């Protein structure tokens, strides 16, 4: 099969319609493993009809920020700002943080590189790089997307404190931290520390477009003024209020994902793929023929995530338990020329 890529395949996951257009003969439904989204989402209720017919309630917004803050370990809910997805927030930050040098710890989620493109950001390999320490703005993801690299909390906290005393900003994207909460620095009250949190990934509801910024009170006031009175929709309010309060579901889901990712590793390894890293919502895999493997899996109706800058890597989202056999069979087919 020729290596035919959907136009957006190298940008980010979630371009299922594009893949379906490029491979129209594939049987449906597709198995979309192009994103790191929990395939078994929180099952609670959306907004009521009455809520959808009204402007979002400021008191409900404050309640959401408080319950999310408790889930994140943040005592002061004034530091927790709800936004329409963490991606929207990270693209606002360059407008709020002024001028100066920017360093991104690479590889990194492409949205960060796009957000800071006008500032010609430096790509550094680790937080130990001198340029990372000295940059006016440092951006990293922990655990990292796409490779799952983890930076210990205390190591990161020490760096943030040092940078803060020098008047420098540190942005920590914790979009995938729910399954490794010991890594989070969200509860640290350090000036010029900005933490991003995502709702859609762990809770399996990315269409709600809900995320959070946790930062010092000076930046929080500026960000709230920028966002206005209704930063998120009624559905995001209802889903967030219910899900973040559901501690039992959160605990059970973390355990289920940890077990499922071990099963996924076994399937990938049996197909001759080397699992290099990841987290409990995705796996970072080495394959010498990664781009060809991507297209062959598309031919089986399985969408993964290729990388132009890493031609021997693929990222696999974690499938639902009932879809694991389909992934196994698809890999067997493409590995045997099916």
């Amino acid at each position: 099969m020729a290596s035919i890529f959907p136009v957006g395949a190298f940008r980010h996951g979630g371009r299922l319609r594009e893949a379906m257009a490029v491979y129209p003969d594939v049987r449906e439904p597709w198995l979309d493993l192009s994103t790191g989204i929990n395939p078994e989402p929180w099952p609670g209720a959306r907004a009521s009809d009455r809520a959808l017919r009204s402007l979002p309630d400021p008191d409900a917004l404050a309640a959401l920020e408080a319950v999310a803050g408790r889930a994140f370990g943040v005592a002061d809910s004034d530091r927790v700002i709800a936004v329409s997805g963490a991606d929207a927030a990270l693209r606002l930050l360059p407008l709020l943080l002024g001028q100066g040098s920017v360093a991104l710890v690479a590889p990194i989620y492409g949205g960060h590189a796009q957000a800071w493109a006008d500032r010609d950001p430096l790509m550094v390999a680790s937080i130990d790089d001198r340029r990372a320490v000295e940059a006016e703005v440092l951006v990293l993801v922990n655990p990292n997307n796409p490779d799952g690299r983890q930076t210990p909390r205390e190591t990161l906290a020490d760096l943030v404190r040092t940078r803060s005393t020098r008047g420098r900003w540190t942005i920590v994207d914790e979009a995938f931290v729910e399954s490794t909460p010991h890594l989070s620095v969200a509860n640290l009250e350090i000036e010029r520390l900005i933490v991003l949190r995502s709702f859609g990934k762990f809770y399996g509801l990315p269409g709600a477009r809900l995320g959070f910024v946790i930062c010092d009170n000076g930046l929080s006031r500026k960000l709230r003024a920028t966002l206005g009175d209704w930063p998120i929709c009624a559905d995001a309010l209802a889903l967030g209020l219910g899900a973040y309060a559901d501690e039992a579901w959160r605990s059970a889901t973390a355990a289920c994902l940890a077990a499922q990712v071990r099963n996924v590793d076994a399937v990938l390894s049996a197909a001759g793929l080397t699992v290099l890293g990841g987290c409990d919502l995705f796996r970072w895999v080495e394959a010498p023929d990664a781009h060809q493997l991507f297209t062959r899996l598309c031919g089986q109706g399985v969408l993964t995530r290729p990388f132009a800058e890493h031609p021997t890597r693929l990222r696999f989202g974690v499938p639902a338990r009932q879809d694991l056999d389909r992934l196994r069979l698809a890999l067997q087919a493409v590995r045997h020329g099916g």
Side-chain angles (χ1 to χ4, degrees):
M1 179 180 294
S3 293
I4 304 173
F5 285 85
V7 173
F10 289 124
R11 179 166 179 166
H12 56 66
R15 299 296 184 96
L16 182 58
R17 286 187 178 274
E18 291 184 19
M20 293 171 68
V22 173
Y23 295 89
D25 297 328
V26 170
R27 68 182 180 90
E28 295 187 29
W30 280 62
L31 177 57
D32 185 359
L33 303 181
S34 67
T35 60
I37 304 298
N38 183 355
E40 301 181 37
W42 183 73
R46 297 174 57 180
S48 66
D49 288 344
R50 179 177 179 180
L52 290 169
R53 292 196 300 267
S54 306
L55 288 170
D57 187 337
D59 289 340
L61 178 63
L64 169 61
E65 291 170 344
V67 73
R70 287 193 291 274
F72 304 153
V74 179
D76 181 3
S77 62
D78 286 343
R79 298 176 51 238
V80 181
I81 304 101
V83 293
S84 58
D87 188 80
L90 69 87
R91 294 170 192 273
L92 274 178
L93 292 176
L95 305 177
L96 299 175
L97 299 189
Q99 299 302 306
S101 59
V102 179
L104 310 181
V105 181
I108 194 168
Y109 169 59
H112 290 292
Q114 295 160 15
W116 295 97
D118 291 345
R119 303 270 283 273
D120 193 22
L122 299 168
M123 296 293 178
V124 299
S126 76
I127 61 172
D128 297 323
D129 189 303
R130 177 180 55 82
R131 297 170 298 171
V133 176
E134 295 179 354
E136 295 299 319
V137 179
L138 175 64
V139 186
L140 68 145
V141 184
N142 193 36
N144 193 41
N145 176 16
D147 62 1
R149 175 177 54 187
Q150 297 184 5
T151 302
R153 169 186 157 91
E154 288 309 315
T155 301
L156 188 50
D158 289 344
L159 174 68
V160 171
R161 291 188 184 99
T162 298
R163 288 178 49 78
S164 176
T165 62
R166 298 173 182 174
R168 295 167 182 163
W169 294 96
T170 307
I171 300 170
V172 183
D173 182 344
E174 295 186 345
F176 291 98
V177 85
E178 267 77 11
S179 58
T180 51
H182 61 280
L183 297 178
S184 179
V185 293
N187 69 331
L188 298 180
E189 296 189 19
I190 303 174
E191 288 190 5
R192 296 178 181 263
L193 168 63
I194 302 169
V195 176
L196 303 175
R197 296 292 288 257
S198 171
F199 171 75
K201 294 176 176 62
F202 180 79
Y203 289 92
L205 297 166
R209 303 314 306 142
L210 177 61
F212 297 86
V213 179
I214 301 134
C215 58
D216 63 54
N217 287 313
L219 181 61
S220 73
R221 287 190 292 270
K222 186 184 297 186
L223 183 55
R224 290 184 193 281
T226 301
L227 294 170
D229 292 331
W230 306 291
I232 62 173
C233 70
D235 269 335
L237 274 171
L239 291 167
L241 278 166
Y244 282 115
D246 194 343
E247 296 180 8
W249 184 91
R250 182 162 62 246
S251 177
T253 296
C256 287
L257 287 170
Q260 178 69 343
V261 82
R262 291 193 292 271
N263 296 330
V264 172
D265 283 350
V267 168
L268 296 172
S269 297
L273 302 175
T274 302
V275 179
L276 298 176
C279 69
D280 287 354
L281 287 172
F282 65 81
R283 306 313 276 162
W284 176 245
V285 169
E286 182 179 42
D289 59 342
H291 287 181
Q292 188 176 42
L293 179 58
F294 169 82
T295 59
R296 287 180 173 175
L297 284 170
C298 282
Q300 296 290 323
V302 176
L303 184 62
T304 59
R305 172 74 161 86
F307 298 85
E309 65 275 25
H310 303 288
T312 63
R313 303 287 190 270
L314 278 182
R315 192 185 68 193
F316 286 76
V318 174
R321 284 166 286 187
Q322 67 269 20
D323 290 327
L324 188 62
D325 279 341
R326 182 169 176 192
L327 174 60
R328 178 185 293 110
L329 293 173
L331 285 166
Q332 289 175 354
V334 300
R335 284 316 200 191
H336 293 90

